[in-house]
Amino acid sequence: MSKMSELSMMLDDLIACGTKLAETARALKEFYSSDEQEQPAPDKKTSGKKTSKKQEAPAQTPDPAPQPEPAKEYSKENVRRILAAKANEAEGIYKAQVKALVQKYGNGGSLTDVKPEDYAALAEEAEGIGHA
């Protein structure tokens, strides 16, 4: 493969990544702005009138602390896919780091030795390789 066609493929991938990032940002903005619109501020003038329980609840309780995002559930196949993608990324320069990471979580050095409860931590660390 020539250098120009390889560069062209990399640029196409970069454009696709940027497009996906912009779509994600728009979706997040829409999601959070729609939450603000759905929760109207309580009106002090109507406090003497009967109100529904839905309107009273926010006025009676303080805002709860933001809940941590629930941990993602990973299957062995998902983790294997993530590890393979990272190992093959950038012409395989992360292959040794991926192998060391698997050895860290699975004492035998194989994904079959990794405990299912460690899949999430392993996947998150693998996704962080090359971004530090």
Side-chain angles (χ1 to χ4, degrees), residues 15-122:
I15 291 169
C17 183
T19 302
K20 188 67 175 174
L21 184 61
E23 289 172 7
T24 303
R26 278 189 218 100
L28 285 171
K29 182 178 180 183
E30 183 178 316
F31 175 78
Y32 284 108
S33 65
S34 67
D35 281 351
E36 291 172 5
Q37 293 171 357
E38 290 175 7
Q39 300 174 358
D43 189 10
K44 291 181 182 180
K45 293 179 184 178
T46 60
S47 61
K49 298 178 183 178
K50 267 190 171 178
T51 58
S52 69
K53 289 182 181 181
K54 186 175 181 182
Q55 289 177 341
E56 290 177 8
Q60 292 176 353
T61 59
D63 289 339
Q67 296 296 322
E69 190 174 300
K72 291 180 181 179
E73 293 293 323
Y74 289 96
S75 68
K76 182 188 258 185
E77 292 77 24
N78 291 350
V79 174
R80 186 178 311 276
R81 219 174 296 126
I82 291 168
L83 293 173
K86 186 55 76 170
N88 294 325
E89 188 175 295
E91 298 179 11
I93 64 171
Y94 302 124
K95 192 176 282 190
Q97 291 174 330
V98 169
K99 188 169 185 160
L101 197 58
V102 172
Q103 287 176 345
K104 174 183 170 185
Y105 283 93
N107 294 329
S110 172
L111 187 57
T112 57
D113 298 321
V114 177
K115 296 176 186 171
E117 57 267 17
D118 292 334
Y119 287 165
L122 174 60

